[in-house]
Amino acid sequence: MTEIKNIFCIGRNYEEHIKELHNKKSERPVVFSKPTHALAVADGSIYDLPANQGAIHYETEIVIKIARDFEKGKTADQLVDEMAIGLDLTLRDIQSELKQQGHPWLLAKGFPNSAILSEFFAFPGVEACKRAVFSLQLNGEKVQEGCMVDMIFDLNEQIDYIGTHFGLKKGDIIFTGTPSGVGPLKDGDQLLLQWKNEEVGSCTVHLA
């Protein structure tokens, strides 16, 4: 996998996902991060996940990779060279507790193997992405499907916001938000990530 520097994530970026978790829509992007040791590749491997910290939810997302350092006014088409389909795994019970306390989400989002990525492939441009769908199959059943056109904050808005407030450099990646259909994983679940009708990654989870 290409070397990755920083992992930025956008929360609450699809209307139906906001509704299913009974959250409130934000007027600006909700940004959180994951440590790089959360990374794993969806290459058919089996990944260990914590079994004693409550429900672990899958969240399927388009992930973009920054090809050159951020400059104000540069667009996604100018700054992004590759993309992947990713799984942002979440310790949902812990996240709920953290939200109630007004604390950051890192404990719920940053555990090992919580950022699973397909292999990166060429980014076809924003407009082409708006005409395509990405999805997740869980044990052979499609459980999530999304399209970038339904994002609340599009790629240009995400890049500008993150780049302005945190900086963005070559090698950084952005998980761009998940559509509705998130749910819990159980031991032995098999996951298949898809872009359009192409299989781009798979893995199996082991709760230990």
Side-chain angles (χ1 to χ4, degrees):
M1 179 182 291
T2 306
E3 183 181 5
I4 292 170
K5 300 294 187 181
N6 293 294
I7 306 172
F8 295 101
C9 307
I10 302 292
R12 304 180 186 178
N13 203 26
Y14 287 80
E15 293 271 7
E16 294 305 312
H17 175 59
I18 292 173
K19 292 177 183 177
E20 73 179 347
L21 293 187
H22 309 290
N23 288 321
K24 293 182 179 180
K25 185 176 178 179
S26 176
E27 295 182 358
R28 55 189 178 185
V30 176
V31 182
F32 60 94
S33 64
K34 289 175 180 272
T36 53
H37 59 249
L39 288 168
V41 183
D43 59 359
S45 296
I46 298 174
Y47 289 114
D48 288 336
L49 302 176
N52 59 350
Q53 299 186 58
I56 301 174
H57 279 203
Y58 54 81
E59 301 184 14
T60 311
E61 314 195 10
I62 290 175
V63 181
I64 56 173
K65 184 171 71 66
I66 303 300
R68 51 193 59 86
D69 294 356
F70 172 78
E71 294 179 39
K72 194 73 174 176
K74 294 290 186 181
T75 66
D77 286 335
Q78 293 171 306
L79 295 175
V80 176
D81 65 342
E82 292 183 315
M83 63 180 288
I85 310 300
L87 291 169
D88 165 20
L89 301 185
T90 304
L91 292 166
R92 189 68 75 199
D93 296 335
I94 290 178
Q95 187 193 36
S96 296
E97 293 175 9
L98 294 170
K99 288 194 293 186
Q100 290 174 1
Q101 297 167 6
H103 291 172
W105 299 352
L106 185 58
L107 281 175
K109 292 286 193 176
F111 56 95
N113 302 323
S114 64
I116 301 175
L117 295 173
S118 74
E119 292 290 347
F120 282 94
F121 52 95
F123 178 66
V126 170
E127 291 306 313
C129 284
K130 288 180 179 179
R131 298 190 294 270
V133 297
F134 62 99
S135 62
L136 172 68
Q137 288 188 21
L138 179 65
N139 301 322
E141 177 184 356
K142 185 182 292 184
V143 292
Q144 280 193 283
E145 182 173 272
C147 182
M148 208 172 70
V149 74
D150 296 323
M151 290 178 174
I152 297 170
F153 302 102
D154 65 23
L155 295 190
N156 290 319
E157 292 171 303
Q158 294 178 43
I159 287 171
D160 184 70
Y161 188 83
I162 294 172
T164 298
H165 290 276
F166 305 102
L168 270 175
K169 290 186 176 294
K170 180 179 179 179
D172 291 345
I173 65 171
I174 302 174
F175 279 73
T176 61
T178 192
S180 61
V182 304
L185 293 170
K186 64 181 186 299
D187 190 41
D189 277 345
Q190 297 180 351
L191 300 105
L192 177 66
L193 298 166
Q194 292 187 298
W195 168 247
K196 299 180 183 178
N197 295 318
E198 299 178 26
E199 298 180 7
V200 293
S202 66
C203 65
T204 301
V205 299
H206 173 232
L207 304 186

Coordinates of all heavy atoms in Angstrom, one line a residue, residues 109-143:
K109 N -12.7 5.1 17.6 CA -12.4 5.1 16.2 C -11.0 4.7 15.9 O -10.7 4.3 14.7 CB -12.6 6.5 15.6 CG -14.0 7.0 15.6 CD -14.8 6.4 14.5 CE -16.1 7.0 14.2 NZ -16.8 6.5 13.0
G110 N -10.1 4.7 16.9 CA -8.7 4.5 16.6 C -8.0 3.2 16.9 O -6.8 3.1 16.9
F111 N -8.8 2.2 17.2 CA -8.3 0.9 17.6 C -7.6 0.2 16.4 O -7.9 0.5 15.2 CB -9.3 0.0 18.3 CG -10.5 -0.3 17.4 CD1 -10.7 -1.4 16.7 CD2 -11.6 0.6 17.4 CE1 -11.8 -1.7 15.9 CE2 -12.8 0.4 16.7 CZ -12.8 -0.8 15.9
P112 N -6.7 -0.8 16.6 CA -6.1 -1.5 15.5 C -7.1 -2.1 14.6 O -8.1 -2.7 15.0 CB -5.2 -2.6 16.2 CG -4.9 -1.9 17.6 CD -6.2 -1.2 18.0
N113 N -6.8 -2.0 13.3 CA -7.6 -2.6 12.2 C -9.0 -1.9 12.1 O -9.9 -2.4 11.5 CB -7.8 -4.1 12.4 CG -6.6 -4.9 12.5 OD1 -5.6 -4.6 11.8 ND2 -6.5 -5.9 13.3
S114 N -9.0 -0.7 12.5 CA -10.3 0.1 12.4 C -10.4 0.9 11.2 O -11.4 1.6 10.9 CB -10.5 1.0 13.6 OG -9.5 2.0 13.7
A115 N -9.3 0.9 10.4 CA -9.3 1.7 9.1 C -8.9 0.7 8.0 O -7.7 0.6 7.6 CB -8.4 2.9 9.2
I116 N -9.8 -0.1 7.5 CA -9.5 -1.1 6.5 C -9.8 -0.5 5.1 O -10.8 0.1 4.8 CB -10.4 -2.3 6.7 CG1 -10.2 -2.9 8.1 CG2 -10.2 -3.4 5.6 CD1 -11.1 -4.0 8.4
L117 N -8.8 -0.7 4.2 CA -8.8 -0.1 2.9 C -8.6 -1.1 1.8 O -7.8 -2.0 1.9 CB -7.7 0.9 2.7 CG -7.7 2.2 3.6 CD1 -6.4 2.9 3.4 CD2 -8.8 3.1 3.2
S118 N -9.4 -0.9 0.7 CA -9.0 -1.7 -0.5 C -7.7 -1.1 -1.1 O -7.2 -0.1 -0.6 CB -10.1 -1.5 -1.6 OG -10.1 -0.2 -2.2
E119 N -7.1 -1.8 -2.1 CA -6.0 -1.2 -2.7 C -6.4 0.1 -3.4 O -7.6 0.2 -3.9 CB -5.4 -2.2 -3.8 CG -4.8 -3.4 -3.1 CD -3.5 -3.1 -2.4 OE1 -2.9 -2.0 -2.6 OE2 -3.0 -4.0 -1.7
F120 N -5.5 1.1 -3.5 CA -5.9 2.3 -4.1 C -5.9 2.1 -5.7 O -5.2 1.3 -6.2 CB -4.8 3.4 -3.8 CG -5.1 4.0 -2.4 CD1 -4.4 3.5 -1.3 CD2 -5.9 5.0 -2.2 CE1 -4.6 4.0 -0.1 CE2 -6.2 5.6 -1.0 CZ -5.5 5.0 0.1
F121 N -6.8 2.8 -6.3 CA -6.9 2.8 -7.8 C -7.1 4.3 -8.3 O -7.3 5.2 -7.5 CB -8.0 1.9 -8.3 CG -9.4 2.2 -7.6 CD1 -10.3 3.0 -8.2 CD2 -9.7 1.6 -6.4 CE1 -11.6 3.2 -7.6 CE2 -11.0 1.8 -5.8 CZ -11.9 2.6 -6.4
A122 N -6.9 4.5 -9.5 CA -6.9 5.8 -10.1 C -8.2 6.6 -9.8 O -9.3 6.0 -10.0 CB -6.6 5.8 -11.6
F123 N -8.0 7.8 -9.4 CA -9.2 8.7 -9.1 C -9.7 9.2 -10.5 O -8.9 9.9 -11.2 CB -8.8 9.8 -8.2 CG -9.8 10.8 -7.9 CD1 -11.0 10.5 -7.2 CD2 -9.7 12.1 -8.4 CE1 -11.9 11.4 -6.9 CE2 -10.7 13.1 -8.1 CZ -11.8 12.7 -7.4
P124 N -10.9 8.9 -10.9 CA -11.4 9.3 -12.2 C -11.9 10.8 -12.3 O -12.3 11.2 -13.4 CB -12.5 8.3 -12.4 CG -13.1 8.1 -11.1 CD -11.9 8.1 -10.1
G125 N -11.9 11.5 -11.2 CA -12.4 12.8 -11.2 C -13.7 12.9 -10.5 O -14.4 11.9 -10.3
V126 N -14.0 14.1 -10.0 CA -15.2 14.3 -9.2 C -16.5 14.0 -9.9 O -17.4 13.3 -9.4 CB -15.3 15.8 -8.6 CG1 -16.6 16.1 -8.0 CG2 -14.2 16.0 -7.6
E127 N -16.6 14.5 -11.1 CA -17.9 14.2 -11.9 C -18.1 12.8 -12.2 O -19.2 12.3 -12.1 CB -17.9 15.1 -13.2 CG -18.0 16.6 -12.9 CD -19.2 16.9 -12.0 OE1 -20.3 16.4 -12.3 OE2 -19.0 17.7 -11.1
A128 N -17.0 12.0 -12.5 CA -17.2 10.6 -12.8 C -17.6 9.9 -11.5 O -18.4 9.0 -11.5 CB -15.9 10.0 -13.3
C129 N -17.0 10.3 -10.4 CA -17.4 9.7 -9.1 C -18.9 9.9 -8.8 O -19.5 9.0 -8.2 CB -16.5 10.2 -8.0 SG -14.9 9.6 -7.9
K130 N -19.4 11.0 -9.2 CA -20.8 11.3 -8.9 C -21.8 10.4 -9.7 O -22.9 10.3 -9.3 CB -21.1 12.8 -9.2 CG -20.5 13.8 -8.2 CD -20.9 15.2 -8.6 CE -20.3 16.2 -7.6 NZ -20.6 17.6 -8.0
R131 N -21.3 9.7 -10.7 CA -22.1 8.9 -11.5 C -21.9 7.4 -11.1 O -22.5 6.5 -11.7 CB -21.8 9.0 -13.0 CG -22.0 10.4 -13.5 CD -21.9 10.5 -15.0 NE -20.6 10.2 -15.5 CZ -19.6 11.2 -15.7 NH1 -19.9 12.5 -15.4 NH2 -18.4 10.9 -16.1
A132 N -21.1 7.1 -10.1 CA -20.8 5.8 -9.7 C -21.3 5.5 -8.3 O -21.5 6.4 -7.5 CB -19.3 5.5 -9.8
V133 N -21.4 4.2 -8.0 CA -21.8 3.8 -6.6 C -20.8 2.9 -6.0 O -20.0 2.3 -6.7 CB -23.2 3.1 -6.6 CG1 -24.3 4.0 -7.1 CG2 -23.1 1.8 -7.4
F134 N -20.7 3.0 -4.7 CA -19.9 2.1 -3.9 C -20.7 1.3 -2.9 O -21.8 1.8 -2.5 CB -18.8 2.9 -3.2 CG -19.2 3.8 -2.2 CD1 -19.2 3.5 -0.8 CD2 -19.7 5.1 -2.5 CE1 -19.7 4.4 0.1 CE2 -20.1 6.0 -1.6 CZ -20.1 5.7 -0.3
S135 N -20.3 0.1 -2.5 CA -21.2 -0.7 -1.7 C -20.4 -1.6 -0.8 O -19.2 -1.9 -1.1 CB -22.2 -1.4 -2.5 OG -21.6 -2.3 -3.4
L136 N -21.1 -2.2 0.1 CA -20.5 -3.3 1.0 C -21.5 -4.4 1.0 O -22.7 -4.3 1.2 CB -20.3 -2.7 2.4 CG -19.9 -3.8 3.5 CD1 -18.5 -4.3 3.2 CD2 -20.1 -3.2 4.9
Q137 N -20.9 -5.6 0.8 CA -21.7 -6.9 1.0 C -21.2 -7.5 2.3 O -20.0 -7.6 2.5 CB -21.5 -7.8 -0.2 CG -22.2 -7.4 -1.4 CD -22.2 -8.5 -2.5 OE1 -22.0 -9.7 -2.2 NE2 -22.4 -8.1 -3.7
L138 N -22.1 -7.9 3.1 CA -21.8 -8.6 4.4 C -22.4 -10.0 4.3 O -23.6 -10.2 4.2 CB -22.5 -7.9 5.6 CG -22.3 -8.5 6.9 CD1 -20.8 -8.4 7.4 CD2 -23.1 -7.7 8.0
N139 N -21.4 -11.0 4.2 CA -21.8 -12.4 4.1 C -22.7 -12.6 2.9 O -23.7 -13.4 2.9 CB -22.5 -12.9 5.4 CG -21.6 -12.8 6.6 OD1 -20.4 -13.0 6.5 ND2 -22.2 -12.4 7.7
G140 N -22.4 -11.9 1.8 CA -23.1 -12.1 0.5 C -24.3 -11.2 0.3 O -24.9 -11.2 -0.7
E141 N -24.7 -10.4 1.3 CA -25.9 -9.6 1.2 C -25.4 -8.1 1.2 O -24.6 -7.7 2.1 CB -26.8 -9.8 2.4 CG -28.0 -8.9 2.4 CD -28.9 -9.1 3.7 OE1 -28.6 -10.0 4.5 OE2 -29.9 -8.4 3.8
K142 N -25.9 -7.3 0.3 CA -25.6 -5.9 0.2 C -26.3 -5.2 1.4 O -27.5 -5.2 1.5 CB -26.1 -5.3 -1.1 CG -25.6 -3.9 -1.3 CD -26.1 -3.3 -2.6 CE -25.5 -3.9 -3.8 NZ -25.9 -3.3 -5.1
V143 N -25.5 -4.5 2.2 CA -26.0 -3.8 3.4 C -25.8 -2.3 3.3 O -26.5 -1.6 4.0 CB -25.3 -4.3 4.7 CG1 -25.8 -5.8 4.9 CG2 -23.8 -4.3 4.6

